[in-house]
Amino acid sequence: MVCTFFYQHETGISSIQPPDVSFQLMPLDKYQPDTSYIQIISSLYMVMAYAQFVNFLTANIVNDKEKKIKEGMKMMGLRDSAYWASWAALYLMLITVVTIVITIIAYAAQFYQNSNMFLFFLILELYGMSLITFSWILTPFFQKAQTAGGLASMASMVTSLLYLAVSLTRTVTSSGEVTYAIPPVARGFLSLVSPCCVALAIDQVWQKWCHNYFKEHESCREFSYWKKNILFFNYLLYTSLSIVLKWVLRSVPIFWCCWYKDLKTYHTCIR
């Protein structure tokens, strides 16, 4: 249109009509933001944030065993149930306070704003409870508190890497639908490992939040109901395993003697 005006002005010919020009965009795929790195980092970060509880709880329990503190308290009438319940109550209180703070920060920063924040709190709380009983499983195998705490926290972080087998093998379509290479049954068995289960839960809510964010915050369904149930099942499973393991080690001294080369050490370590 501008070129036609100048051409008419220079030539003095007013009968010149602008050319009929049409444009067509080249076909392009729908833009789909890549949020995989956000999901992976945030999921593993939650596991790392709670790994310190496993470290300190395992180290404290093994320290009681290493310095004969537990035996001294048992000589004064302490029962095993009271001993384990005291550690559970202490760390449950600490985990609850930390989880409340994390939930408040996530709510204030508008993370997971399309999700149920109570479920978010409940998932992290149940994960912390399962870590308490996970520490109980590990304590019979250690004599040194420093070694026990370091390996316990490392175990929780290493087992969370099983989550990468799911996150790195899935395919996200342009509509936001996810296709998993690992079948649901296999993902269910992976969820029996609490660090992997909570990583999958956080990954799922990040995926829904990011997908809805780029679609102008459309409403989405609630997330991770079944993961909440699996984490509670893990808590019961780990508690049962810790009890069974203690009595099995008491009844099979040959196994423990082969490990420590001394029957007296066996009686000391399992108390």
Side-chain angles (χ1 to χ4, degrees):
M1 182 67 69
V2 175
C3 294
T4 303
F5 172 78
F6 280 108
Y7 187 77
Q8 291 175 351
H9 182 269
E10 293 294 334
T11 60
I13 303 174
S14 60
S15 60
I16 299 176
Q17 299 296 326
D20 185 12
V21 181
S22 61
F23 299 91
Q24 182 177 359
L25 294 176
M26 297 297 292
L28 296 173
D29 293 334
K30 183 180 179 181
Y31 173 69
Q32 180 66 27
D34 184 14
T35 60
S36 58
Y37 67 96
I38 301 178
Q39 297 171 225
I40 293 175
I41 293 175
S42 60
S43 300
L44 296 180
Y45 178 79
M46 285 296 180
V47 177
M48 294 175 60
Y50 280 74
Q52 300 303 318
F53 293 113
V54 185
N55 185 349
F56 289 114
L57 178 57
T58 307
N60 286 330
I61 294 176
V62 176
N63 182 65
D64 289 347
K65 181 172 60 176
E66 181 182 357
K67 296 183 178 180
K68 315 298 182 184
I69 298 176
K70 181 181 177 182
E71 291 186 1
M73 290 187 293
K74 291 181 68 173
M75 292 173 61
M76 293 184 288
L78 176 68
R79 296 191 178 188
D80 284 342
S81 58
Y83 176 80
W84 295 109
S86 63
W87 280 117
L90 174 62
Y91 274 82
L92 181 60
M93 180 180 63
L94 295 176
I95 289 171
T96 302
V97 172
V98 171
T99 304
I100 291 174
V101 173
I102 292 176
T103 306
I104 292 175
I105 293 175
Y107 179 78
Q110 295 185 350
F111 291 144
Y112 322 125
Q113 58 183 346
N114 293 319
S115 301
N116 191 324
M117 296 308 296
F118 177 73
L119 278 179
F120 177 76
F121 166 81
L122 201 57
I123 285 176
L124 294 182
E125 182 74 6
L126 290 173
Y127 173 58
M129 292 171 59
S130 67
L131 289 182
I132 294 175
T133 52
F134 178 71
S135 300
W136 294 353
I137 295 176
L138 298 179
T139 51
F141 297 100
F142 296 98
Q143 284 184 294
K144 299 296 181 180
Q146 186 174 4
T147 304
L151 291 180
S153 61
M154 183 181 297
S156 66
M157 290 186 288
V158 169
T159 52
S160 68
L161 297 180
L162 294 172
Y163 147 77
L164 296 177
V166 178
S167 63
L168 297 180
T169 58
R170 64 189 172 196
T171 303
V172 182
T173 62
S174 59
S175 61
E177 297 180 358
V178 183
T179 303
Y180 291 95
I182 298 180
V185 176
R187 297 201 302 270
F189 279 107
L190 288 177
S191 297
L192 293 178
V193 182
S194 287
C196 181
C197 182
V198 75
L200 288 172
I202 300 301
D203 175 89
Q204 183 178 355
V205 67
W206 261 110
Q207 177 187 345
K208 289 187 175 183
W209 184 84
C210 292
H211 178 65
N212 287 311
Y213 175 82
F214 287 102
K215 294 179 67 175
E216 299 181 355
H217 300 283
E218 296 177 0
S219 59
C220 63
R221 296 171 295 178
E222 300 298 345
F223 74 98
S224 301
Y225 279 105
W226 64 275
K227 289 186 176 63
K228 167 180 65 68
N229 298 330
I230 290 182
L231 283 171
F232 181 71
F233 174 76
N234 289 347
Y235 167 72
L236 298 179
L237 177 63
Y238 295 169
T239 303
S240 302
L241 287 177
S242 63
I243 296 173
V244 170
L245 183 62
K246 181 178 180 180
W247 288 107
V248 167
L249 294 179
R250 282 182 179 274
S251 60
V252 188
I254 297 177
F255 169 80
W256 212 236
C257 289
C258 293
W259 186 268
Y260 286 103
K261 309 297 183 182
D262 190 356
L263 182 58
K264 295 180 180 180
T265 308
Y266 158 73
H267 289 293
T268 301
C269 293
I270 63 176
R271 289 178 182 175

